[in-house]
Amino acid sequence: MDEAFLSVDKLRVAYGPQPVLDELSLGVARGEFVALLGASGCGKTTLLRSIAGFIRPQAGQIRVQGRDVTAFAPDARGMAFVFQSYALWPHMTVAQNIGYALKLRRTPHAKIHQRVEEIAAMLGLAGLEQRKPAALSGGQRQRVALGRALAADPEILLLDEPLSNLDARIRLAVRHEISALQKRLGITAVHVTHYREEAMIMADRIVILDQGRIAQAGTPHELYNRPASAFVAAFMGAENAIALEGDHADGRLTLHSPHAPVPCVTEILAGACNGHYQARFRSDAARLVDAGERTDGGLRLRGLVSQVSYPGGLWRHAIQFGEHTVIVDAHEARIPGETVDLLVPRDRLFVFPSAADAPRGDTRH
Amino acid sequence: MRGKSHPGFDRLGTNGISGSHADNESPKEPFALSLSKGGRFRHGAVFSRFDLIAGLWWLPRALMLGALAFAIFGPLCNLLLWAVAEKWYFPHALPLEYGFSFWGRVFSARGNAWEALGTSVMVAGLTVLASLALAIPAGYALARLKLPFRALILLAFLIPQAFPNLPVYVNVARLFYAIGLNGTVAGVVIVHVTHGLVYAVWIATAAFAAIDRELEEAARAAGASALRAFRDVSLPLAMPGLMASAIFVFLESLDEFTGSFFVGAPDVNTLPLLLYTAGAGGNYQIASISALLLLVPSIAFMLVLEKFLRADVLARIGQ
């Protein structure tokens, strides 16, 4: 196996008997921006803090360029860390905060000053150098935290939800700034977040964590269009879920539902069997058609429009099938109470064996 | 000295008490009066709309404030009067003669005041240094480490305060006598440290606990060793709390009497011991002057540390 620049090998961290990270392995290439995405409690911050050296793992290794740093103290790892709370030192000025790492390396005073000016100019903090963090706005503090991390030219930058304390509008701008900066400086970055969109915009590769394991890792495009599990599909925005029965024959899977007027036939690559399946799709993936209209291919379901709203752009419909309710966005509004058919094209329908059945599906289409 | 203090002896028996009783009336009245004037003036316009009872809202508050002011300043006024009184006896509400002859006596070579003041300040200073030297590591450990009996350990520092002073110090004196610490500055400092450590450790623990752990981690990530992170981040941030504890310990040490008496006297003569000797001998002037002298280092020390004691910092101590 090719040794990655930063590699995590079978890392195990547990608080008490319950493992937070369960034999987790991950490689990050030099200059790559990896986002760790997951719900709170999935272990993403624990993984980041283990890489930084704040948490001592029970088992496993962390290597940088092939060198085992697992036993190293945080200050011996040459990584920079940006905290969610920013953790700026309140008794130091902006300049002192940014220049601290250089001061520790006994950099000459003039050189520190020059570097601080440089960083401040780069991050739009010029003129604020003599202020204390308490006299800065949230966005400015975030920049100081970033500047402090970047001042000593770290090879690895670890970001722990650094944008979650910012206003929504500033956050949108800072996302692009950070990833542009990371590309320009060629730093290897690991970013923890629980916002899908943030991860998709900033990262080269997204690693989705679920209960201390990697659920799926891949480019934003891969994860969005080819989720490997129902969990990943749901995390990637395919919130609508439908339970279906599947018959497996001749390399084809035929899906039935009491709400489906015609069965849906899909091609199966591996691991399929007869039993329960779950289909997932995004609200903008489905189309509403009249009950009489003829279509072919895809999953067609007949339901009742129970609610219509207009969040902007498209009309949002809540469609009911027995006890299931799905959300479908359409260009034209339907009338509540109307019976409609809903059509999900095969390439936008994600089908997975239900948790109780079979191995994890490698289903496509 | 005895001959001169003879008329003073008269004062002591009866006049001392009735004298303070007479004082009771005089400062209170003008105070209440001035407040009542202010209250009436401000609320003149309101009277037309509200009834008389609502217009008297200030009265209980003014009385409370007056009583509080008297409780704080009354004894101090009495002290000041005694310090400049040449002659004062029953039934006179105020001294009959004013002068500074007792000041001269206190500060004379035979008066021991300078020496006692020096000893007191030295003992208090050493007590502060020793307490902080113990409280900084102890407070940091109690704030940061997962100790099994944290609450119990914190409570243990209260033990020297929890028992009656007298029997404890009598026994301490016996023990110190055996190991040659009795009558030494070191012995007195040790006694004062055990007494002051509860403030120092509790406040230091609170001060360190109030510091976000991530601030230290940020320093570690920047490349600082654990010790360097402590020096550059934790210690400066805990400093206001530590300074507050230093003031407590200093003031505690400065007017500590029982321990100094049993362990220090007569070789280590602090100001409270001098004050006690003077007070017990009926020398109210000398006792008052010693007491005023005792205020000097207290106020000086507080002024020196005042810049650390901003209200926002003090408010954080309890967290």
Side-chain angles (χ1 to χ4, degrees):
Chain A
M1 185 188 122
D2 230 12
E3 182 72 57
F5 180 66
L6 167 68
S7 69
V8 174
D9 190 17
K10 290 187 181 151
L11 202 68
R12 197 190 131 83
V13 175
Y15 304 133
Q18 189 66 31
V20 181
L21 296 181
D22 195 4
E23 305 250 308
L24 190 141
S25 297
L26 174 71
V28 182
R30 186 187 276 274
E32 193 182 18
F33 195 122
V34 167
L36 303 178
L37 183 62
S40 51
C42 73
K44 56 191 193 300
T45 295
T46 303
L47 175 57
L48 196 76
R49 291 175 62 83
S50 306
I51 294 173
F54 297 136
I55 292 174
R56 187 66 52 95
Q58 270 84 20
Q61 270 191 351
I62 293 157
R63 288 190 298 270
V64 178
Q65 290 183 290
R67 192 170 54 133
D68 184 3
V69 299
T70 319
F72 284 25
D75 46 302
R77 296 191 181 202
M79 301 177 187
F81 200 101
V82 178
F83 293 85
Q84 183 175 11
S85 65
Y86 311 144
L88 299 178
W89 301 303
H91 59 301
M92 298 188 196
T93 62
V94 168
Q96 284 168 331
N97 266 284
I98 295 175
Y100 184 68
L102 295 171
K103 191 178 137 197
L104 289 174
R105 295 179 184 190
R106 299 173 192 282
T107 312
H109 201 75
K111 239 182 180 164
I112 295 180
H113 184 75
Q114 188 196 338
R115 179 70 178 146
V116 168
E117 297 276 289
E118 214 176 284
I119 292 271
M122 182 172 78
L123 294 172
L125 291 167
L128 302 174
E129 288 92 339
Q130 295 315 312
R131 289 218 197 151
K132 292 276 177 71
L136 298 177
S137 72
Q140 287 167 337
R141 284 180 209 177
Q142 201 276 336
R143 282 153 199 271
V144 175
L146 194 62
R148 184 176 67 179
L150 295 175
D153 283 322
E155 292 192 299
I156 296 169
L157 180 63
L158 306 173
L159 303 146
D160 184 13
E161 306 207 28
L163 308 184
S164 62
N165 285 331
L166 294 178
D167 288 348
R169 279 175 58 203
I170 302 172
R171 198 188 301 155
L172 295 183
V174 175
R175 279 175 190 172
H176 293 282
E177 283 173 27
I178 291 182
S179 51
L181 203 64
Q182 179 265 340
K183 283 281 167 289
R184 189 148 60 85
L185 302 175
I187 301 175
T188 307
V190 181
H191 177 127
V192 159
T193 182
H194 60 265
Y195 292 107
R196 166 172 59 96
E197 214 185 306
E198 187 178 303
M200 303 217 23
I201 287 171
M202 296 176 76
D204 301 317
R205 199 150 58 93
I206 296 176
V207 175
I208 295 189
L209 294 181
D210 180 24
Q211 296 176 5
R213 295 161 186 265
I214 294 178
Q216 194 179 355
T219 63
H221 189 268
E222 271 168 20
L223 294 190
Y224 194 80
N225 295 303
R226 293 201 298 279
S229 64
F231 176 83
V232 174
F235 220 92
M236 284 286 138
E239 300 280 3
N240 291 323
I242 302 268
L244 300 166
E245 298 296 319
D247 290 329
H248 179 240
D250 308 329
R252 280 164 182 276
L253 181 69
T254 311
L255 298 165
H256 306 275
S257 161
H259 306 292
V262 282
C264 169
V265 181
T266 68
E267 281 160 28
I268 285 298
L269 292 181
C273 60
N274 297 343
H276 302 292
Y277 282 82
Q278 189 185 55
R280 285 193 164 264
F281 60 94
R282 296 193 181 85
S283 59
D284 61 351
R287 197 153 61 84
L288 294 180
V289 295
D290 292 318
E293 203 177 315
R294 287 186 64 89
T295 54
D296 56 27
L299 175 69
R300 189 164 176 162
L301 296 163
R302 186 156 296 165
L304 210 66
V305 178
S306 66
Q307 210 183 340
V308 182
S309 61
Y310 187 70
L314 297 166
W315 290 91
R316 181 152 295 174
H317 300 79
I319 314 269
Q320 213 166 346
F321 313 95
E323 62 212 41
H324 289 293
T325 301
V326 299
I327 305 291
V328 175
D329 290 342
H331 286 285
E332 282 157 33
R334 300 278 172 159
I335 305 153
E338 196 182 344
T339 302
V340 290
D341 278 11
L342 132 118
L343 183 73
V344 189
R346 281 212 303 248
D347 61 341
R348 305 193 69 177
L349 182 70
F350 310 122
V351 181
F352 309 99
S354 281
D357 290 26
R360 285 217 154 168
D362 208 2
T363 28
R364 305 236 170 124
H365 302 287
Chain B
M1 197 163 161
R2 274 218 167 260
K4 253 208 164 171
S5 71
H6 198 72
F9 197 72
D10 262 357
R11 293 197 294 264
L12 180 83
T14 45
N15 316 14
I17 293 154
S18 59
S20 74
H21 186 71
D23 269 354
N24 214 338
E25 307 294 319
S26 50
K28 194 159 137 193
E29 217 157 77
F31 193 76
L33 211 75
S34 71
L35 253 184
S36 72
K37 240 186 231 163
R40 220 173 283 157
F41 178 72
R42 241 188 298 155
H43 284 238
V46 185
F47 265 142
S48 56
R49 268 183 282 157
F50 296 101
D51 61 19
L52 196 70
I53 294 165
L56 285 171
W57 65 271
W58 51 268
L59 193 64
R61 205 196 290 186
L63 287 174
M64 286 292 287
L65 277 174
L68 188 69
F70 177 72
I72 293 171
F73 295 110
L76 275 176
C77 288
N78 199 33
L79 194 77
L80 280 172
L81 280 178
W82 270 115
V84 294
E86 288 287 306
K87 222 189 236 179
W88 189 4
Y89 48 80
F90 187 76
H92 302 286
L94 288 172
L96 297 166
E97 270 177 48
Y98 296 94
F100 287 94
S101 72
F102 283 94
W103 286 77
R105 204 148 20 117
V106 167
F107 289 112
S108 73
R110 275 176 57 218
N112 297 332
W114 284 119
E115 197 199 323
L117 180 67
T119 309
S120 272
V121 170
M122 178 178 66
V123 166
L126 287 173
T127 303
V128 166
L129 288 181
S131 297
L132 284 184
L134 290 169
I136 289 172
Y140 189 76
L142 285 165
R144 280 287 184 260
L145 305 182
K146 281 182 194 147
L147 295 171
F149 301 107
R150 195 172 161 274
L152 268 182
I153 295 170
L154 276 172
L155 217 54
F157 288 102
L158 196 61
I159 288 174
Q161 307 255 23
F163 290 98
N165 280 338
L166 216 61
V168 171
Y169 289 136
V170 168
N171 280 292
V172 167
R174 221 183 66 149
L175 196 78
F176 277 12
Y177 198 76
I179 57 174
L181 272 174
N182 231 36
T184 64
V185 170
V188 177
V189 168
I190 289 173
V191 166
H192 287 191
V193 166
T194 57
H195 198 72
L197 212 51
V198 61
Y199 301 106
V201 171
W202 282 17
I203 297 176
T205 304
F208 284 119
I211 299 170
D212 191 346
R213 207 180 279 249
E214 285 189 347
L215 294 176
E216 290 167 16
E217 288 176 347
R220 298 300 306 275
S225 64
L227 201 66
R228 188 73 198 255
F230 177 78
R231 205 193 80 190
D232 288 349
V233 173
S234 320
L235 200 57
L237 289 176
M239 202 43 92
L242 297 177
M243 289 303 107
S245 78
I247 287 180
F248 273 112
V249 172
F250 190 87
L251 297 184
E252 269 295 303
S253 165
L254 213 56
D255 68 14
E256 206 282 339
F257 172 74
T258 324
S260 313
F261 182 75
F262 283 106
V263 174
D267 306 299
V268 181
N269 204 13
T270 61
L271 260 184
L273 294 184
L274 193 79
L275 207 154
Y276 171 76
T277 316
N283 257 317
Y284 269 33
Q285 283 91 339
I286 290 179
S288 299
I289 293 165
S290 305
L292 287 178
L293 211 54
L294 206 52
L295 279 177
V296 174
S298 310
I299 291 170
F301 193 71
M302 283 204 277
L303 284 178
V304 169
L305 300 185
E306 185 250 2
K307 65 168 178 161
F308 294 105
L309 284 179
R310 298 184 310 264
D312 59 318
V313 165
L314 282 180
R316 255 193 2 217
I317 289 173
Q319 290 174 1

